[in-house]
Amino acid sequence: MKVTVAIPTILRKTLEGTLRCISLQSFRDFDVLLVHRGTIRSSIEDFSKRLDLKLIEQKDGLLEEAYNIAMKRSSSDILLFTDDDACPGRSWVEDHVSFHLKNPDVGVAGGLITGKYWKNYPNVAYERFRGTPMMEEADPVFRDYVGYLTKTGLSVDRHKHLNNEKTLAVAGVNMSVKKEVYENFQVLTYSIFASYVETQISLNAIKKGFTSVRFPGGLTYHKKIHSLSVPGKK
C-alpha cells in the first residue's frame, strides 16, 4: 500500500517539530508532500535525510489551494493530512493505514486529537432549534451521522462525538483519505479561513459510496496557537 503524508504550511517556526514527529513514525513506508508558501529553511531541507520529503512551492492561494495541490500531486492509496503546528504520535500513520485496511467502506477517517481543536459553532443553533424542520437532515444518508448537514445548510453535531461514529466533523490536522475519494477531486476555494474543507472531502466520499468516520486511534497533539482556520478573538 502506497501512503503519503501532506503538510500545508506557511513555514511557521513549529514546522520542524512536526517533521521531527513524523520522522519517528513506527510505519516507515511513506513519503511527505510539503506544500509551502515562502522560502524553505535549511533546517527543513535537512529532514530529507530522514524522510522521503517532496517540497512543493505554492504560488497562490491559502489552505484550500494547498489541499488541492496535495490531492492533485498524490497518487497514493492513502493520503494523510496534518498541520505544521501538530505532533502526530509514533503510531499515527500505522493506525490510519490499519484502520483503512480493516474498513474498506471508510473513505475518510479522523483520529484522536489533543490540544487545540476546532469548534463547530452552528451547534449553538442546533441546541436552540433541535427537533424543528430547520435541523432536519439535508439527505436521508445523514440519519446515521453524528455530524451532519441540515436542510438549512448548517454543519451540526447531534451530540458529543464518541468513537467509531459516522460524521462529517473530521479535522484536517488528523485526517486520512482513500485514493478513490480524493482522486480527481478539488475543494471549493471560497474562503480565507478554509472553512469546511474536510466536510467537502467527506461529502465527496459519501457521494462515491464510502463513509466518513472518527476512530479511536492515530493520536495527534495540536499546538494551541492561532491560525486562519482556528482563529482567536483578535
Side-chain angles (χ1 to χ4, degrees), residues 9-20:
T9 180
I10 54 173
L11 303 177
R12 291 189 288 183
K13 61 183 180 180
T14 53
L15 177 58
E16 281 85 349
T18 298
L19 292 172
R20 189 172 300 111

Side-chain angles (χ1 to χ4, degrees), residues 44-230:
I44 295 171
E45 291 179 325
D46 287 344
F47 279 94
S48 296
K49 302 171 186 175
R50 292 188 257 173
L51 293 166
D52 183 359
L53 186 62
K54 297 177 175 62
L55 304 175
I56 305 172
E57 185 177 4
Q58 180 183 351
K59 300 292 187 180
D60 302 298
L62 296 168
L63 189 58
E64 293 165 339
E65 287 81 4
Y67 267 70
N68 284 340
I69 291 171
M71 291 189 289
K72 188 173 183 179
R73 292 290 293 268
S74 175
S75 60
S76 293
D77 302 297
I78 302 295
L79 175 60
L80 291 95
F81 285 92
T82 192
D83 293 354
D84 66 359
D85 61 346
C87 179
R90 290 180 67 92
S91 65
W92 179 60
V93 174
E94 183 177 358
D95 287 352
H96 275 272
V97 169
S98 176
F99 185 76
H100 278 281
L101 287 173
K102 293 176 183 177
N103 297 275
D105 61 312
V106 173
V108 177
L112 297 172
I113 300 168
T114 59
K116 183 177 69 173
Y117 195 75
W118 173 79
K119 182 178 180 181
N120 200 1
Y121 291 102
N123 284 343
V124 176
Y126 177 78
E127 292 301 325
R128 180 171 181 179
F129 298 105
R130 182 200 299 260
T132 70
M134 286 185 287
M135 292 298 116
E136 290 178 2
E137 298 88 353
D139 187 277
V141 71
F142 295 128
R143 288 171 188 165
D144 293 333
Y145 278 68
V146 173
Y148 71 98
L149 287 185
T150 68
K151 286 183 176 179
T152 48
L154 295 177
S155 174
V156 298
D157 304 324
R158 299 180 198 277
H159 55 72
K160 184 177 180 179
H161 285 77
L162 302 174
N163 291 326
N164 286 331
E165 293 178 313
K166 295 179 182 178
T167 181
L168 296 179
V170 175
V173 67
N174 189 357
M175 176 177 72
S176 58
V177 188
K178 279 189 172 71
K179 182 179 181 180
E180 295 88 339
V181 173
Y182 77 80
E183 190 173 36
N184 298 319
F185 178 70
Q186 298 278 270
V187 300
L188 299 172
T189 55
Y190 66 91
S191 164
I192 65 169
F193 296 106
S195 184
Y196 298 103
V197 166
E198 304 92 339
T199 300
Q200 292 184 55
I201 297 172
S202 292
L203 288 173
N204 192 54
I206 293 171
K207 287 171 65 177
K208 289 181 173 265
F210 293 95
T211 58
S212 173
V213 304
R214 285 193 194 177
F215 74 103
L219 182 65
T220 293
Y221 173 68
H222 196 191
K223 293 182 175 66
K224 294 182 178 180
I225 59 177
H226 297 318
S227 66
L228 276 177
S229 57
V230 190

